[in-house]
Amino acid sequence: MMEYSIRGAGRPILVFHGGHSNCREEFGYDELLRSGYSLLTPSRAGYGQTSAGIGKNLGTACQAYSELLDHLGMDKIDVIAVSAGGASGIYWASHYPQRVRSLTLQSAVSGRWHSPQDKTYKVAQLLFGASMEKYTWAAVRFMSNHFARVMFKQMAPSFSILPYSEVLARTREGDILAFCKMNNRQRSGHGFLLDLPQINSITESDLNNIRCPTLIQHSPNDGAVPIEHARRAHQHITGSRLHLLDTWGHLIWLGKGSEALHPELLEFLAQA
């Protein structure tokens, strides 16, 4: 079973959402919809109502996404891959070149991320495993809804390498509300624990094989996916375009500097 959403009625973009997300993702959607694009967002393997079974590896997951496009009568499509969804986007563009018009990587992983020896990996196994994740996210939602600024401050180091005072100085009105809305729609299901090993399976060959026009958008201040991932993708994807955004961190749709994201993206899509 695969859960998905379709928004808008224009030229379609396939969105591979990030970790802990699903087909109800919102970041960056309104601007693309207003510009005449439609957005197809499948909940990736193990997220939302999508079966974890399709996610035995990136190959089986991407085959399922290809079958979804067949079902919807879509052929060649633009792709946006976000954060932990970067691995799916890279594998898709590398192994299904006939179906990809363009690839955009936003705050995306491009190779080895967390290993089983890392503290972060071990904590993720505990907090986001299938038996615990609903309690983890229930606590996050409660804190976000009742103590929004406290929760934003507590979670900021996971998203930015900047001191909190600088993160706060770079936020815009509505950022903390958008951050809390994100926390309210997030769940891990079985998906995040599928993501961790699959991200590490992306190779330089996968990147080298990508031939479609590629835009890489990333913040040097990203505390979740270090800037080295963007530089690695840029180095290995022939003809790729690297767009660094001076935002406060991983959520490049928020904060001062985010206004540069969509003009660059829309120009790229128009030329692809």
Side-chain angles (χ1 to χ4, degrees), residues 46-63:
Y47 287 107
Q49 299 301 311
T50 297
S51 168
I54 71 168
K56 294 177 183 177
N57 52 56
L58 287 173
T60 59
C62 285
Q63 177 60 35

Side-chain angles (χ1 to χ4, degrees), residues 193-215:
L193 295 193
L194 290 176
D195 279 345
L196 290 175
Q198 290 180 10
I199 285 168
N200 292 339
S201 72
I202 288 293
T203 66
E204 289 184 1
S205 293
D206 292 319
L207 294 164
N208 291 333
N209 288 338
I210 295 173
R211 291 292 179 266
C212 63
T214 301
L215 173 65

Side-chain angles (χ1 to χ4, degrees), residues 224-265:
V225 179
I227 187 62
E228 286 74 23
H229 284 262
R231 299 194 189 282
R232 181 175 191 257
H234 181 48
Q235 177 185 354
H236 290 286
I237 300 176
T238 302
S240 62
R241 187 162 145 187
L242 178 61
H243 180 212
L244 298 182
L245 292 144
D246 189 24
T247 60
W248 57 260
H250 186 62
L251 303 177
I252 54 176
W253 311 270
L254 302 182
K256 297 172 183 175
S258 63
E259 63 278 358
L261 187 153
H262 282 97
E264 183 82 8
L265 175 58

Side-chain angles (χ1 to χ4, degrees), residues 138-180:
V140 169
R141 286 194 299 273
F142 177 85
M143 291 296 294
S144 296
N145 293 336
H146 291 86
F147 307 98
R149 287 188 171 273
V150 172
M151 197 60 179
F152 182 71
K153 182 177 182 179
Q154 289 299 311
M155 295 183 72
S158 298
F159 292 90
S160 179
I161 62 173
L162 297 174
Y164 180 68
S165 58
E166 193 166 347
V167 170
L168 199 58
R170 289 170 178 245
T171 58
R172 297 187 303 184
E173 184 178 358
D175 278 7
I176 294 177
L177 176 60
F179 186 85
C180 291

Side-chain angles (χ1 to χ4, degrees), residues 3 18 37 39 45 72 85 95 179 190 217-218 236:
E3 174 187 49
Y37 292 92
L39 300 170
L72 295 171
H95 293 264
F179 186 85
H190 295 276
Q217 296 187 296
H218 214 105
H236 290 286

Side-chain angles (χ1 to χ4, degrees), residues 81-104:
V82 180
S83 191
S88 298
I90 289 166
Y91 190 95
W92 175 270
S94 178
H95 293 264
Y96 292 83
Q98 73 283 5
R99 307 207 76 157
V100 183
R101 180 181 286 111
S102 72
L103 172 66
T104 300

